Amino acid sequence: MALVYTLLGAALVCAVLWLRHRQLSFSAQRTADYAGLTPIFDLREHLNGKMLCDGVVYGPTGRVAASFNGRFEILWDGDRAKMSEHFTYDSGTEQLRQWALVLGEDGSITATAPDVIGEGRGKCEGSAVQLNYRLRLPESGGGHVVDVTDWMYLAPNGHIVNRSQFRKYGLVVGELIATMRPVEVRSHA
């Protein structure tokens, strides 16, 4: 009888963990959750031109593993964009990435970059953007391939808050939190 109760308890714990993961976690978000919310995130308007980025990367223990600053330049030509990212980490390491983005009429996004395996896919809806892709980390980071889920949320002041999770074999191995904002143009009057 004790074995039956143990198995039932284990099944209940598994069911609760599965439900939590599917309904109450970062992974449970859907772009439809943000439909109708404002401000409306228009990639061509809000992810455009020269931008600055500041953020931190958390390792698998939940502690900050690195912090960084970034400079972006995003140039749109209709529904296609080239996005150049230049990151400088607290260790002094620099990283460059060149994205090619395509925005569909339905808000769908496809994205490619040299260290992205295949094609990233996502969607822009309401005040949020989601993008999923497989990323090969640099050799200095182990060269592993991780599954990335990026969420970007548009704040009322036009700044973008980015939260990303990195998974390997379904387990969270890292997380990134960053803010992005347009470079302020100063007049010389």
Side-chain angles (χ1 to χ4, degrees), residues 26-27 29-31 34 41 43 47 53 56-57 68 72 83 85 87 97 99 101 109 111-113 115-116 120-125 127-135 146-153 160-167 174-178 180:
F26 180 78
S27 301
Q29 296 180 85
R30 303 289 176 254
T31 55
Y34 300 96
F41 197 150
L43 282 177
L47 198 61
C53 177
V56 294
V57 178
F68 62 89
F72 299 174
M83 182 166 82
E85 300 174 326
F87 296 102
R97 180 174 294 120
W99 287 95
L101 306 172
I109 304 161
T112 56
D115 53 354
V116 170
R121 295 193 176 276
K123 185 150 176 118
C124 186
E125 196 164 351
S127 62
V129 173
Q130 182 205 34
L131 186 63
N132 293 300
Y133 52 95
R134 300 194 75 210
L135 179 70
V146 293
D147 296 314
V148 180
T149 299
D150 276 342
W151 277 94
M152 292 182 282
Y153 311 93
I160 299 166
V161 178
N162 179 205
R163 181 178 179 199
S164 302
Q165 278 191 347
F166 308 95
R167 293 179 176 269
E175 189 165 349
L176 175 146
I177 306 286
M180 295 175 269

Side-chain angles (χ1 to χ4, degrees), residues 95 97 114-117 134-139 143-146:
Q95 182 181 28
R97 180 174 294 120
D115 53 354
V116 170
I117 297 172
R134 300 194 75 210
L135 179 70
R136 180 172 306 283
L137 298 176
E139 287 304 317
H144 299 281
V145 174
V146 293

Side-chain angles (χ1 to χ4, degrees), residues 9-166:
L12 180 61
V13 167
C14 288
V16 167
L17 290 174
W18 177 82
L19 183 63
R20 179 183 173 273
H21 174 73
R22 297 294 294 164
Q23 299 297 323
L24 304 172
S25 70
F26 180 78
S27 301
Q29 296 180 85
R30 303 289 176 254
T31 55
D33 297 339
Y34 300 96
L37 295 183
T38 58
I40 301 297
F41 197 150
D42 181 342
L43 282 177
R44 289 171 293 220
E45 178 184 345
H46 297 106
L47 198 61
N48 190 13
K50 293 183 179 188
M51 301 188 76
L52 299 175
C53 177
D54 301 293
V56 294
V57 178
Y58 298 89
T61 64
R63 292 180 178 85
V64 173
S67 60
F68 62 89
N69 303 107
R71 298 185 75 73
F72 299 174
E73 185 162 11
I74 306 102
L75 302 171
W76 286 91
D77 182 13
D79 292 332
R80 296 180 177 274
K82 296 289 183 193
M83 182 166 82
S84 301
E85 300 174 326
H86 179 199
F87 296 102
T88 303
Y89 292 88
D90 56 353
S91 65
T93 303
E94 295 189 21
Q95 182 181 28
L96 303 173
R97 180 174 294 120
Q98 299 286 330
W99 287 95
L101 306 172
V102 178
L103 182 60
E105 288 183 26
D106 61 351
S108 63
I109 304 161
T110 56
T112 56
D115 53 354
V116 170
I117 297 172
E119 189 173 73
R121 295 193 176 276
K123 185 150 176 118
C124 186
E125 196 164 351
S127 62
V129 173
Q130 182 205 34
L131 186 63
N132 293 300
Y133 52 95
R134 300 194 75 210
L135 179 70
R136 180 172 306 283
L137 298 176
E139 287 304 317
S140 61
H144 299 281
V145 174
V146 293
D147 296 314
V148 180
T149 299
D150 276 342
W151 277 94
M152 292 182 282
Y153 311 93
L154 184 62
N157 64 357
H159 292 195
I160 299 166
V161 178
N162 179 205
R163 181 178 179 199
S164 302
Q165 278 191 347
F166 308 95

